[in-house]
Amino acid sequence: MSSFKALRVHQGSAGVSAVLEPVAFEPLSPGAVRVRVAYSGLNYKDALAVTGCGAIMRTYPRVAGIDLAGVVEASEDAAFKPGDRVLATGAGLGEWLDGGFAEYAHVPADALLALPAGLSLFESMALGTAGFTAALALRRMLENHQDPAQGPVLVTGATGGVGSIALTLLAGAGFEAAALTGKPEATAYLRALGATTVLERAGLDLGAKPLEKAVWGGALDNLGGEVLAYLTRTVKPWGNIACIGLAQSAQLHTTVMPLILRGVSLLGIHSVQVPRPWREALWGQLAGPWKPPQIASRLVRAEISLEQVPEAARELIAGRARGRYVVRIAGDL
Ligand SMILES: NC(=O)c1ccc[n+]([C@@H]2O[C@H](COP(=O)([O-])OP(=O)(O)OC[C@H]3O[C@@H](n4cnc5c(N)ncnc54)[C@H](OP(=O)(O)O)[C@@H]3O)[C@@H](O)[C@H]2O)c1
């Protein structure tokens, strides 16, 4: 076989287009590993890249997909050998490196982790960057002394991939989890994930004063913009806000008052270039004590093919998706 199938993003005079096409195998460079991809997952960043709604890729053409899980076929690095089951999230895949929406990927060994015992290839991609990011946010909050006794933690963009997994992790860690959503029809789904309160975004009184009544013990924010500004005004003393996403806006207009009068912390969450020991520890948590129950039935909206990725990406950008899309490539290996 001289080529493999991949969803590649091209940039032309008419803009960006994602094309499912054959890509020629290149020789494996030193330090790289050839992975037969079993599954990938669809993240907001992939949706931006595939639809052209965001400038995610540094150069074109580029195979999309920031996550992958599969089996090593060949390795130019002593850390991996044929037959190893591996996963990669972030680490530049689908941005400055070819990504996981392909039958095969050449990945720098440093981007790969051994699949932890306790997770299947499918489950690792049902979690993917979304689950890793939610776990990173929870870890940073706990390290900064977030405690269930401080009160409910509000998750925004709650029906999304990060939001859905964050609710299960918070509930599992003993927190009262609250959900903010644009989809009131998803209330039963959010409660099943562990939300004790579900608020509708459209009905939320955002307030305007530098400090409003403090009601939230902490927050995980996927939206940015006005909602993040609201969170700074309404988190209780010493609470943490994990700043994850920008699904609403990249802007943040607030004041320093919550930080200097309530000791509120804004924690930056970045999932791409994460020190290896943190990645190993967090995936160990996700495969062990933090593993969400019933991943497939509770968190996965659908298993899709590479052909179906562009349509699912448009659904994510429109904010209509719920939970996680797993992209099946070779399937279970
Ligand atoms: N910092 C990092 O390293 C990192 C890692 C992963 C993801 N992220 C970011 O985190 C965010 C969530 O990612 P995801 O993979 O969970 O995406 P997702 O599955 O598409 O979920 C995003 C959710 O946000 C809400 N939403 C979407 N569009 C919106 C809009 N225009 N205004 C307000 N709410 C909107 C929707 O939830 P409701 O309808 O329930 O409100 C939607 O389900 C994205 O901005 C992504 O780029 C960052």
Short mmCIF file of all heavy atoms in Angstrom, two decimals, residues 42-45 48 129-130 133 156-163 180-183 190 201 221-223 243-248 269-272 316-324, ligand 1:
data_model
loop_
_atom_site.label_atom_id
_atom_site.label_comp_id
_atom_site.label_asym_id
_atom_site.label_seq_id
_atom_site.Cartn_x
_atom_site.Cartn_y
_atom_site.Cartn_z
N LEU A 42 -13.92 14.37 17.75
CA LEU A 42 -14.12 15.71 17.17
C LEU A 42 -14.18 16.75 18.29
O LEU A 42 -15.03 16.67 19.17
CB LEU A 42 -15.43 15.71 16.37
CG LEU A 42 -15.74 16.99 15.60
CD1 LEU A 42 -14.68 17.26 14.52
CD2 LEU A 42 -17.12 16.88 14.93
N ASN A 43 -13.23 17.68 18.23
CA ASN A 43 -13.19 18.77 19.20
C ASN A 43 -13.56 20.08 18.51
O ASN A 43 -13.53 20.18 17.29
CB ASN A 43 -11.77 18.89 19.78
CG ASN A 43 -11.39 17.66 20.58
OD1 ASN A 43 -11.81 17.50 21.71
ND2 ASN A 43 -10.61 16.77 19.97
N TYR A 44 -13.86 21.08 19.34
CA TYR A 44 -14.24 22.39 18.78
C TYR A 44 -13.15 22.91 17.84
O TYR A 44 -13.43 23.46 16.78
CB TYR A 44 -14.47 23.36 19.94
CG TYR A 44 -15.16 24.63 19.56
CD1 TYR A 44 -16.54 24.67 19.40
CD2 TYR A 44 -14.45 25.80 19.35
CE1 TYR A 44 -17.19 25.85 19.05
CE2 TYR A 44 -15.08 26.98 19.00
CZ TYR A 44 -16.45 27.00 18.85
OH TYR A 44 -17.08 28.17 18.50
N LYS A 45 -11.89 22.70 18.24
CA LYS A 45 -10.78 23.18 17.42
C LYS A 45 -10.78 22.50 16.05
O LYS A 45 -10.49 23.13 15.03
CB LYS A 45 -9.47 22.91 18.17
CG LYS A 45 -8.31 23.73 17.71
CD LYS A 45 -7.07 23.36 18.49
CE LYS A 45 -6.70 24.42 19.50
NZ LYS A 45 -5.48 24.08 20.24
N LEU A 48 -13.40 24.09 13.94
CA LEU A 48 -12.93 25.37 13.39
C LEU A 48 -12.03 25.13 12.19
O LEU A 48 -12.14 25.80 11.15
CB LEU A 48 -12.15 26.16 14.45
CG LEU A 48 -12.95 26.75 15.61
CD1 LEU A 48 -11.99 27.34 16.66
CD2 LEU A 48 -13.91 27.83 15.14
N THR A 129 -9.23 15.26 23.80
CA THR A 129 -8.81 16.56 24.32
C THR A 129 -9.86 17.14 25.25
O THR A 129 -9.53 17.78 26.26
CB THR A 129 -8.50 17.52 23.16
OG1 THR A 129 -7.22 17.19 22.63
CG2 THR A 129 -8.47 18.98 23.61
N ALA A 130 -11.13 16.92 24.94
CA ALA A 130 -12.20 17.47 25.80
C ALA A 130 -12.07 16.94 27.22
O ALA A 130 -12.10 17.71 28.19
CB ALA A 130 -13.57 17.12 25.22
N THR A 133 -8.83 18.10 28.94
CA THR A 133 -8.91 19.51 29.34
C THR A 133 -9.77 19.69 30.58
O THR A 133 -9.42 20.46 31.49
CB THR A 133 -9.47 20.35 28.17
OG1 THR A 133 -8.67 20.10 27.02
CG2 THR A 133 -9.49 21.82 28.49
N THR A 156 -20.03 26.13 32.17
CA THR A 156 -20.71 26.81 31.05
C THR A 156 -20.44 26.05 29.75
O THR A 156 -19.48 25.29 29.67
CB THR A 156 -20.23 28.27 30.93
OG1 THR A 156 -18.87 28.25 30.48
CG2 THR A 156 -20.33 29.01 32.25
N GLY A 157 -21.30 26.27 28.76
CA GLY A 157 -21.20 25.45 27.54
C GLY A 157 -21.38 24.00 27.92
O GLY A 157 -20.70 23.10 27.41
N ALA A 158 -22.34 23.76 28.83
CA ALA A 158 -22.38 22.49 29.56
C ALA A 158 -22.67 21.28 28.69
O ALA A 158 -22.21 20.17 29.00
CB ALA A 158 -23.41 22.57 30.69
N THR A 159 -23.41 21.43 27.60
CA THR A 159 -23.72 20.24 26.78
C THR A 159 -22.58 19.88 25.84
O THR A 159 -22.63 18.84 25.18
CB THR A 159 -24.99 20.44 25.92
OG1 THR A 159 -24.74 21.50 25.00
CG2 THR A 159 -26.22 20.72 26.77
N GLY A 160 -21.55 20.75 25.73
CA GLY A 160 -20.43 20.46 24.84
C GLY A 160 -19.57 19.33 25.37
O GLY A 160 -19.83 18.77 26.45
N GLY A 161 -18.53 18.99 24.60
CA GLY A 161 -17.66 17.89 25.01
C GLY A 161 -16.97 18.17 26.33
O GLY A 161 -17.05 17.36 27.27
N VAL A 162 -16.30 19.32 26.43
CA VAL A 162 -15.61 19.65 27.68
C VAL A 162 -16.62 19.78 28.81
O VAL A 162 -16.43 19.24 29.91
CB VAL A 162 -14.81 20.97 27.53
CG1 VAL A 162 -14.19 21.36 28.86
CG2 VAL A 162 -13.74 20.85 26.45
N GLY A 163 -17.73 20.49 28.54
CA GLY A 163 -18.72 20.73 29.58
C GLY A 163 -19.32 19.44 30.11
O GLY A 163 -19.44 19.24 31.34
N LEU A 180 -24.71 25.59 32.94
CA LEU A 180 -25.30 26.71 32.19
C LEU A 180 -25.33 26.29 30.73
O LEU A 180 -24.30 25.92 30.16
CB LEU A 180 -24.44 27.97 32.36
CG LEU A 180 -24.98 29.22 31.64
CD1 LEU A 180 -26.25 29.73 32.32
CD2 LEU A 180 -23.93 30.33 31.60
N THR A 181 -26.49 26.37 30.13
CA THR A 181 -26.64 25.88 28.76
C THR A 181 -27.53 26.79 27.92
O THR A 181 -28.40 27.48 28.45
CB THR A 181 -27.22 24.44 28.76
OG1 THR A 181 -27.28 23.97 27.42
CG2 THR A 181 -28.62 24.38 29.37
N GLY A 182 -27.32 26.72 26.61
CA GLY A 182 -28.23 27.38 25.68
C GLY A 182 -29.33 26.44 25.24
O GLY A 182 -30.16 26.80 24.40
N LYS A 183 -29.33 25.21 25.77
CA LYS A 183 -30.29 24.18 25.32
C LYS A 183 -31.14 23.71 26.49
O LYS A 183 -30.82 22.66 27.10
CB LYS A 183 -29.54 22.97 24.74
CG LYS A 183 -28.55 23.29 23.63
CD LYS A 183 -27.93 22.01 23.10
CE LYS A 183 -26.80 22.27 22.13
NZ LYS A 183 -25.51 22.59 22.80
N LEU A 190 -28.22 16.72 31.09
CA LEU A 190 -27.26 17.35 32.01
C LEU A 190 -27.43 16.81 33.43
O LEU A 190 -26.44 16.58 34.14
CB LEU A 190 -27.42 18.87 31.98
CG LEU A 190 -27.03 19.50 30.63
CD1 LEU A 190 -27.51 20.95 30.53
CD2 LEU A 190 -25.51 19.43 30.43
N ARG A 201 -29.01 29.85 29.54
CA ARG A 201 -28.16 31.03 29.29
C ARG A 201 -29.00 32.26 28.98
O ARG A 201 -28.70 33.37 29.44
CB ARG A 201 -27.19 30.72 28.15
CG ARG A 201 -25.99 31.62 28.12
CD ARG A 201 -24.91 31.11 27.18
NE ARG A 201 -25.37 31.01 25.80
CZ ARG A 201 -25.39 29.91 25.09
NH1 ARG A 201 -24.99 28.78 25.61
NH2 ARG A 201 -25.82 29.91 23.84
N ASP A 221 -15.22 27.53 32.62
CA ASP A 221 -15.84 28.31 31.57
C ASP A 221 -15.35 27.92 30.18
O ASP A 221 -14.16 27.99 29.89
CB ASP A 221 -15.58 29.80 31.79
CG ASP A 221 -16.22 30.61 30.69
OD1 ASP A 221 -17.45 30.47 30.49
OD2 ASP A 221 -15.49 31.33 29.97
N ASN A 222 -16.31 27.59 29.32
CA ASN A 222 -16.00 27.25 27.93
C ASN A 222 -16.37 28.36 26.96
O ASN A 222 -16.20 28.20 25.76
CB ASN A 222 -16.79 25.98 27.53
CG ASN A 222 -16.26 24.76 28.23
OD1 ASN A 222 -15.10 24.42 28.06
ND2 ASN A 222 -17.09 24.13 29.04
N LEU A 223 -16.91 29.46 27.45
CA LEU A 223 -17.50 30.45 26.56
C LEU A 223 -16.71 31.74 26.39
O LEU A 223 -16.73 32.35 25.34
CB LEU A 223 -18.92 30.80 27.04
CG LEU A 223 -19.91 29.64 27.16
CD1 LEU A 223 -21.30 30.16 27.46
CD2 LEU A 223 -19.91 28.79 25.91
N CYS A 243 -10.44 28.98 33.06
CA CYS A 243 -10.75 29.63 31.78
C CYS A 243 -10.29 28.71 30.66
O CYS A 243 -9.10 28.54 30.43
CB CYS A 243 -10.01 30.96 31.74
SG CYS A 243 -10.17 31.82 30.18
N ILE A 244 -11.27 28.08 29.98
CA ILE A 244 -10.97 27.03 29.01
C ILE A 244 -11.22 27.47 27.57
O ILE A 244 -10.40 27.25 26.70
CB ILE A 244 -11.81 25.76 29.32
CG1 ILE A 244 -11.40 25.19 30.67
CG2 ILE A 244 -11.64 24.73 28.21
CD1 ILE A 244 -12.27 24.04 31.16
N GLY A 245 -12.37 28.08 27.32
CA GLY A 245 -12.77 28.24 25.93
C GLY A 245 -13.29 29.61 25.55
O GLY A 245 -13.40 30.52 26.40
N LEU A 246 -13.63 29.70 24.27
CA LEU A 246 -14.10 30.97 23.70
C LEU A 246 -15.27 30.76 22.75
O LEU A 246 -15.41 31.45 21.75
CB LEU A 246 -12.93 31.68 22.99
CG LEU A 246 -11.96 30.84 22.15
CD1 LEU A 246 -12.61 29.96 21.14
CD2 LEU A 246 -10.90 31.71 21.51
N ALA A 247 -16.12 29.76 23.08
CA ALA A 247 -17.22 29.43 22.17
C ALA A 247 -18.13 30.64 21.94
O ALA A 247 -18.78 30.74 20.91
CB ALA A 247 -18.02 28.25 22.69
N GLN A 248 -18.19 31.55 22.94
CA GLN A 248 -18.99 32.76 22.75
C GLN A 248 -18.13 33.91 22.25
O GLN A 248 -18.50 34.62 21.32
CB GLN A 248 -19.66 33.15 24.07
CG GLN A 248 -20.63 34.31 23.94
CD GLN A 248 -21.33 34.60 25.27
OE1 GLN A 248 -20.70 35.01 26.24
NE2 GLN A 248 -22.62 34.37 25.31
N ILE A 269 -6.18 27.52 31.29
CA ILE A 269 -6.13 26.09 30.95
C ILE A 269 -5.69 25.96 29.50
O ILE A 269 -6.33 26.51 28.60
CB ILE A 269 -7.51 25.42 31.15
CG1 ILE A 269 -8.03 25.67 32.57
CG2 ILE A 269 -7.41 23.92 30.86
CD1 ILE A 269 -7.18 25.16 33.70
N HIS A 270 -4.62 25.21 29.29
CA HIS A 270 -4.05 25.06 27.96
C HIS A 270 -3.73 23.58 27.76
O HIS A 270 -2.93 23.03 28.51
CB HIS A 270 -2.78 25.92 27.85
CG HIS A 270 -1.98 25.66 26.63
ND1 HIS A 270 -2.46 25.95 25.38
CD2 HIS A 270 -0.76 25.10 26.45
CE1 HIS A 270 -1.55 25.60 24.48
NE2 HIS A 270 -0.51 25.08 25.10
N SER A 271 -4.33 22.97 26.75
CA SER A 271 -4.23 21.51 26.65
C SER A 271 -3.22 21.02 25.62
O SER A 271 -3.04 19.81 25.47
CB SER A 271 -5.61 20.93 26.30
OG SER A 271 -6.01 21.42 25.03
N VAL A 272 -2.58 21.91 24.89
CA VAL A 272 -1.76 21.45 23.75
C VAL A 272 -0.34 21.10 24.16
O VAL A 272 0.11 19.98 23.94
CB VAL A 272 -1.76 22.51 22.62
CG1 VAL A 272 -0.90 22.03 21.45
CG2 VAL A 272 -3.19 22.78 22.15
N LEU A 316 -21.16 21.40 15.42
CA LEU A 316 -20.45 21.92 16.59
C LEU A 316 -20.35 23.45 16.51
O LEU A 316 -20.60 24.15 17.50
CB LEU A 316 -19.03 21.34 16.67
CG LEU A 316 -18.77 20.38 17.84
CD1 LEU A 316 -19.52 19.10 17.62
CD2 LEU A 316 -17.29 20.10 17.99
N ILE A 317 -19.99 23.94 15.35
CA ILE A 317 -19.82 25.40 15.21
C ILE A 317 -21.15 26.11 15.44
O ILE A 317 -21.19 27.20 16.02
CB ILE A 317 -19.26 25.76 13.80
CG1 ILE A 317 -17.85 25.18 13.64
CG2 ILE A 317 -19.26 27.26 13.56
CD1 ILE A 317 -16.81 25.72 14.59
N ALA A 318 -22.24 25.48 15.03
CA ALA A 318 -23.56 26.10 15.24
C ALA A 318 -24.01 25.97 16.69
O ALA A 318 -25.08 26.49 17.05
CB ALA A 318 -24.58 25.45 14.30
N GLY A 319 -23.22 25.28 17.53
CA GLY A 319 -23.58 25.12 18.95
C GLY A 319 -24.70 24.13 19.15
O GLY A 319 -25.33 24.09 20.21
N ARG A 320 -24.96 23.26 18.15
CA ARG A 320 -26.09 22.33 18.25
C ARG A 320 -25.70 20.97 18.80
O ARG A 320 -26.54 20.14 19.08
CB ARG A 320 -26.73 22.14 16.86
CG ARG A 320 -27.52 23.33 16.37
CD ARG A 320 -28.46 22.91 15.24
NE ARG A 320 -27.75 22.26 14.15
CZ ARG A 320 -27.28 22.89 13.09
NH1 ARG A 320 -27.46 24.18 12.96
NH2 ARG A 320 -26.65 22.23 12.13
N ALA A 321 -24.38 20.71 18.90
CA ALA A 321 -23.96 19.36 19.30
C ALA A 321 -24.16 19.15 20.79
O ALA A 321 -24.35 20.09 21.56
CB ALA A 321 -22.50 19.15 18.92
N ARG A 322 -24.10 17.90 21.19
CA ARG A 322 -24.26 17.54 22.59
C ARG A 322 -23.33 16.36 22.86
O ARG A 322 -23.38 15.38 22.13
CB ARG A 322 -25.71 17.14 22.81
CG ARG A 322 -26.11 17.01 24.24
CD ARG A 322 -27.59 16.84 24.31
NE ARG A 322 -27.92 15.43 24.28
CZ ARG A 322 -29.16 14.96 24.40
NH1 ARG A 322 -30.17 15.79 24.52
NH2 ARG A 322 -29.39 13.68 24.40
N GLY A 323 -22.48 16.46 23.87
CA GLY A 323 -21.57 15.37 24.16
C GLY A 323 -20.48 15.26 23.11
O GLY A 323 -20.12 16.23 22.46
N ARG A 324 -20.01 14.03 22.89
CA ARG A 324 -18.82 13.82 22.07
C ARG A 324 -19.11 13.01 20.82
O ARG A 324 -19.86 12.04 20.85
CB ARG A 324 -17.79 13.04 22.91
CG ARG A 324 -17.27 13.85 24.07
CD ARG A 324 -16.13 14.73 23.69
NE ARG A 324 -14.99 13.95 23.25
CZ ARG A 324 -14.05 14.40 22.41
NH1 ARG A 324 -14.15 15.61 21.89
NH2 ARG A 324 -13.04 13.63 22.06
N1 LIG B 1 -7.92 25.69 26.52
C1 LIG B 1 -7.83 24.55 25.85
O1 LIG B 1 -6.76 23.94 25.72
C2 LIG B 1 -9.07 23.97 25.25
C3 LIG B 1 -9.22 22.59 25.07
C4 LIG B 1 -10.45 22.09 24.59
C5 LIG B 1 -11.44 22.98 24.23
N2 LIG B 1 -11.24 24.32 24.38
C6 LIG B 1 -12.29 25.28 24.06
O2 LIG B 1 -13.36 25.03 24.94
C7 LIG B 1 -14.60 25.30 24.28
C8 LIG B 1 -15.48 24.06 24.33
O3 LIG B 1 -14.88 23.03 23.56
P1 LIG B 1 -15.72 21.71 23.23
O4 LIG B 1 -14.80 20.78 22.50
O5 LIG B 1 -16.43 21.26 24.43
O6 LIG B 1 -16.78 22.30 22.18
P2 LIG B 1 -18.27 21.83 21.86
O7 LIG B 1 -18.41 20.38 22.10
O8 LIG B 1 -18.61 22.39 20.54
O9 LIG B 1 -19.12 22.59 23.00
C9 LIG B 1 -19.23 23.98 23.08
C10 LIG B 1 -20.53 24.32 23.81
O10 LIG B 1 -20.56 25.74 24.04
C11 LIG B 1 -21.88 26.22 23.84
N3 LIG B 1 -21.81 27.17 22.71
C12 LIG B 1 -21.47 26.90 21.43
N4 LIG B 1 -21.51 28.01 20.67
C13 LIG B 1 -21.85 29.01 21.50
C14 LIG B 1 -22.05 30.41 21.33
N5 LIG B 1 -21.89 31.00 20.14
N6 LIG B 1 -22.40 31.14 22.39
C15 LIG B 1 -22.55 30.57 23.59
N7 LIG B 1 -22.39 29.23 23.81
C16 LIG B 1 -22.04 28.48 22.79
C17 LIG B 1 -22.76 25.03 23.57
O11 LIG B 1 -23.19 24.52 24.83
P3 LIG B 1 -24.63 24.90 25.49
O12 LIG B 1 -25.62 24.91 24.39
O13 LIG B 1 -24.84 23.82 26.51
O14 LIG B 1 -24.45 26.25 26.13
C18 LIG B 1 -21.78 24.03 22.97
O15 LIG B 1 -22.24 22.72 23.08
C19 LIG B 1 -14.24 25.75 22.87
O16 LIG B 1 -14.16 27.16 22.82
C20 LIG B 1 -12.85 25.15 22.66
O17 LIG B 1 -12.10 25.85 21.71
C21 LIG B 1 -10.08 24.82 24.86
#
